[in-house]
Amino acid sequence: MNILMALSQIEVTGAEVYATTVGDVLTERGHKVFYVSDTLTKPHRGAFFKLRFNKRSIPRRFWHVGYMVYLIKKHRIQLVHAHSRASSWSCYVACKLTGTPMITTVHGRQPVHASRKKFHALGDRALAVCEAVRNQLVSGLGVQPELIAIGRNGIDTNHYQPVPVPDNDKPVVSIIGRLSGPKGELCYRLLDQCLDLNRYRVQIASGSQVPERFERFKGKADFLGYVHDVPGLMAQSDLVIGAGRVAMEAILMQRPVFAVGEAETVGLVTPDNIDAAMASNFGDIGPTDLNIDFATLPAQITAALDTRFDSSALASTVKSAYDLQAVTTELEAHYQSVLVHRRRREVPIIMYHRFIKNESEKGIHGTYLHVNMLEKHFKLLKRLGYETLTFADLTDKGMASRLDAGKKYIIITVDDGYKDNYELLFPLLKKYGFKAVIYAVTGETFNRWDVEKPDNPEKAVELMTPAQIKEMADSGLVEFGGHTLTHPKLDQLGREQQRAEIAENKAQLEQLLGHKLTSFAYPFGIHNDDSKQLAKELGYPFAVATNSGPLAMHEDLWQIRRIAIFPRTDVFGLWRKIKGNYVFRKNK
């Protein structure tokens, strides 16, 4: 995907750290990430475009919108991710003009006024960095709850490892954060009212220029400026004072953290208050700004320096909630949902069964297609520029890769594993260079499940032999998936019967092919909760149904929709089904 991160800032902020940190992981996963902002200080992978969002006159705002439209069109941006109020307004208008999906991460408390209530400018989805932000968006601005999700900061937890307690001659207290705005006011009052600068060695790490009013503290406290090695600074600290990412990173290093932010005091973070601390982003977000009783802080800070406890459980909690890879995966899911539902398009997954070459081979149940029509289907796919994917491809490249800019993907699936798949489908796959996924029944030699129907029996049709399955798989053009031993209606079986059908079929195919299977198809598309749970438990990353499941395939990997192809599906019918919006039109 082509993603544009938009920020408005004149110095390093937590939003910049968030955007560049997850942006680099997205880049590693194959996305193209671009940045637009007033400034960008942190190292990053991806092009940066300078735009002075903080200049907010009416003419400037028109220029911002125009430039955003230019960037979106020039770089084929598929989604804009805004990270601040100033940038989100311009992004919102530009995205409306270009039809581009938009997400906004809300990093802090929002101003509440009439125009903001009427014009949220958050786009298709808002990601609140903590519960307090979400609550304020709902109660203060009237944002619909379904528009908001929690999207926590992502931290490279491997970068922040536990360190031994430092052997300092006197306690070292480190304050990390900006010296401007509310954080600057907080730092000033900590130095002025709360910290004994003779008793403690106080050091302040900030990317801000030191304001004039802080001059009186020079010589008593160390102003370090911008610090590249923040873990090294935390390692030598007896107490870290901060909020947001600062608190999380220090906790991961198992350094004592006194959480105080722009809104409230959490105090020393312990296992007893970690949930409340996370909900307020460690004191940064509350019902009001700077709602802090500074008179009580000296005693609290002294107590924090004297308190000792096992902080490994605390670090484990933070690692679980803020792990960078997990946070980025969740962010990718939001990107996919917004893109798919906004465009009302999804990669089509079409489903065939049997193929015939003459009229005498027709069946009763309508699960066949003449090979001549199949070739016409393939010619259309080739002419329209479609590339075929398998579920193994999605495992290797990630689900979001199906939405790559400028690509037209389709997944061809074939159920049951009939002999004609080898005789008729396989040569056409070779001819057109297409790949397919075949779901094979292994406990039968013919379609007994359809033949032995007293009220509507089908003619008997042979299934592929193990040798034919192996040859197709070895070609690299066919991925085989599980389809049970005997093709039962799974919802009519008990859990253990289902397990036997799914597990033994999987084991037989994996032994034949020499590798793990990637996907499973429910026979007849019928399943229940046990079926889905067993597919997960038995190691299938994906399971496909037929006409059920979310419209966006990544939203339930064990109930993925497919589009059935019938004997009367001609070239025009196929075109209608593969445009990408077919399942959306069917499910209005």
Side-chain angles (χ1 to χ4, degrees):
M1 293 173 64
N2 292 352
I3 302 155
L4 180 61
M5 299 281 189
L7 304 101
S8 56
Q9 56 181 21
I10 55 176
E11 58 183 303
V12 179
T13 64
E16 177 182 334
V17 178
Y18 172 102
T20 54
T21 302
V22 299
D24 281 352
V25 177
L26 290 167
T27 301
E28 290 168 4
R29 295 186 181 189
H31 301 280
K32 287 186 178 180
V33 182
F34 304 83
Y35 300 87
V36 59
S37 178
D38 304 73
T39 62
L40 202 64
T41 304
K42 298 292 291 183
H44 59 278
R45 298 166 61 183
F48 165 57
F49 306 98
K50 188 177 180 65
L51 184 60
R52 300 174 72 182
F53 283 116
N54 272 287
K55 301 291 186 180
R56 305 184 192 184
S57 66
I58 297 299
R60 281 280 187 178
R61 285 189 182 271
F62 277 109
W63 164 246
H64 297 161
V65 171
Y67 190 65
M68 287 294 300
V69 169
Y70 164 76
L71 290 178
I72 289 169
K73 291 186 175 181
K74 178 176 175 59
H75 298 286
R76 303 177 71 179
I77 299 300
Q78 294 171 275
L79 182 138
V80 172
H81 188 166
H83 293 271
S84 62
R85 292 191 298 274
S87 66
S88 68
W89 189 94
S90 301
C91 291
Y92 182 82
V93 177
C95 288
K96 281 292 185 183
L97 292 173
T98 57
T100 306
M102 173 185 165
I103 280 177
T104 299
T105 291
V106 185
H107 294 268
R109 189 171 180 273
Q110 301 295 291
V112 178
H113 46 73
S115 63
R116 185 68 172 162
K117 287 182 178 181
K118 289 185 176 295
F119 191 63
H120 302 141
L122 297 174
D124 299 282
R125 184 164 300 182
L127 301 180
V129 296
C130 65
E131 288 77 1
V133 170
R134 179 188 60 193
N135 295 343
Q136 197 247 342
L137 289 173
V138 174
S139 61
L141 294 179
V143 180
Q144 294 299 311
E146 58 270 20
L147 181 68
I148 309 168
I150 299 296
R152 300 198 190 278
N153 278 292
I155 298 175
D156 184 355
T157 53
N158 295 322
H159 192 56
Y160 298 92
Q161 295 295 325
V163 293
V165 177
D167 184 19
N168 296 317
D169 55 353
K170 64 179 180 179
V172 174
V173 178
S174 296
I175 304 172
I176 303 173
R178 282 178 287 162
L179 296 180
S180 60
K183 278 192 168 59
E185 176 64 19
L186 171 62
C187 182
Y188 182 87
R189 295 184 70 174
L190 286 171
L191 294 172
D192 186 46
Q193 303 174 31
C194 306
L195 292 167
D196 186 336
L197 301 182
N198 295 313
R199 181 179 179 185
Y200 311 132
R201 181 156 67 87
V202 179
Q203 48 191 16
I204 300 99
S206 175
S208 306
Q209 291 289 327
V210 180
E212 184 177 347
R213 64 176 178 157
F214 283 86
E215 292 292 330
R216 57 186 287 252
F217 301 116
K218 285 189 174 179
K220 301 178 181 178
D222 299 328
F223 289 85
L224 306 177
Y226 182 77
V227 173
H228 290 279
D229 184 14
V230 173
L233 174 66
M234 292 177 172
Q236 63 177 326
S237 303
D238 293 285
L239 185 69
V240 175
I241 297 180
R245 294 181 68 92
V246 170
M248 304 163 204
E249 292 164 359
I251 289 170
L252 288 168
M253 297 183 68
Q254 297 188 22
R255 305 311 306 126
V257 174
F258 191 86
V260 56
E262 297 180 20
E264 60 188 31
T265 304
V266 176
L268 179 68
V269 182
T270 69
D272 292 333
N273 65 9
I274 181 64
D275 290 340
M278 289 168 55
S280 68
N281 206 28
F282 296 89
D284 252 0
I285 318 297
T288 59
D289 290 333
L290 219 57
N291 183 31
I292 298 168
D293 183 358
F294 287 91
T296 66
L297 295 194
Q300 291 187 53
I301 291 171
T302 299
L305 281 161
D306 292 338
T307 302
R308 295 289 181 266
F309 61 89
D310 182 1
S311 55
S312 58
L314 206 60
S316 178
T317 298
V318 169
K319 186 171 184 176
S320 175
Y322 298 96
D323 177 73
L324 178 58
Q325 294 297 330
V327 166
T328 307
T329 296
E330 192 172 326
L331 184 60
E332 271 190 313
H334 289 302
Y335 286 171
Q336 292 172 71
S337 292
V338 166
L339 186 58
V340 170
H341 289 291
R342 175 71 178 275
R343 296 169 57 204
R344 294 180 60 79
R345 274 186 171 32
E346 178 56 282
V347 169
I349 306 175
I350 55 176
M351 176 181 63
Y352 297 99
H353 288 80
R354 293 178 48 216
F355 305 101
I356 65 172
K357 58 181 183 295
N358 60 63
E359 295 295 304
S360 65
E361 296 172 324
K362 286 183 176 181
I364 305 297
H365 296 163
T367 56
Y368 60 88
L369 188 76
H370 198 286
V371 68
N372 293 342
M373 183 56 69
L374 176 64
E375 182 157 20
K376 290 179 181 179
H377 284 187
F378 282 10
K379 285 180 178 178
L380 176 68
L381 296 179
K382 184 66 77 172
R383 187 163 62 248
L384 294 177
Y386 279 94
E387 297 179 45
T388 51
L389 287 176
T390 66
F391 288 102
D393 292 330
L394 295 179
T395 301
D396 292 340
K397 300 175 185 177
M399 281 296 289
S401 66
R402 77 191 192 279
L403 303 173
D404 286 344
K407 293 288 189 178
K408 293 174 72 174
Y409 288 125
I410 189 168
I411 300 176
I412 298 171
T413 68
V414 189
D415 281 13
D416 303 337
Y418 292 103
K419 184 179 178 182
D420 54 63
N421 291 186
Y422 176 80
E423 296 171 338
L424 303 178
L425 169 67
F426 193 27
L428 290 179
L429 293 176
K430 295 175 183 176
K431 180 176 179 179
Y432 290 91
F434 286 161
K435 294 186 288 187
V437 183
I438 297 178
Y439 295 106
V441 171
T442 57
E444 303 285 2
T445 57
F446 71 99
N447 56 332
R448 185 188 305 274
W449 59 90
D450 278 338
V451 172
E452 297 181 356
K453 278 188 172 181
D455 56 335
N456 190 23
E458 179 62 275
K459 63 174 59 176
V461 183
E462 282 186 74
L463 301 180
M464 280 186 284
T465 66
Q468 291 168 336
I469 290 174
K470 186 73 166 63
E471 182 184 341
M472 293 181 81
D474 289 347
S475 73
L477 296 176
V478 179
E479 171 191 318
F480 278 89
H483 203 40
T484 71
L485 285 174
T486 64
H487 204 282
K489 293 181 178 178
L490 289 173
D491 69 337
Q492 296 180 7
L493 303 182
R495 183 181 176 86
E496 291 311 307
Q497 291 175 295
Q498 290 193 49
R499 180 187 293 276
E501 283 278 352
I502 299 170
E504 185 58 29
N505 168 249
K506 186 172 187 283
Q508 290 177 3
L509 284 169
E510 288 178 345
Q511 183 176 16
L512 173 65
L513 301 175
H515 61 76
K516 295 289 186 183
L517 300 189
T518 303
S519 61
F520 172 76
Y522 304 108
F524 305 103
I526 296 172
H527 60 279
N528 57 19
D529 289 342
D530 283 341
S531 317
K532 291 177 67 173
Q533 191 59 43
L534 285 166
K536 295 180 194 179
E537 287 179 11
L538 293 169
Y540 280 115
F542 305 96
V544 297
T546 51
N547 195 30
S548 69
L551 301 181
M553 71 170 75
H554 69 280
E555 292 177 351
D556 188 341
L557 299 181
W558 292 274
Q559 191 174 350
I560 296 175
R561 282 179 177 266
R562 294 187 290 167
I563 302 168
I565 304 299
F566 299 107
R568 296 174 62 181
T569 305
D570 59 12
V571 173
F572 177 73
L574 179 70
W575 175 78
R576 288 181 60 251
K577 291 185 174 187
I578 64 173
K579 284 175 61 181
N581 64 349
Y582 181 74
V583 294
F584 289 88
R585 288 189 286 108
K586 276 190 67 179
N587 291 274
K588 283 185 178 179

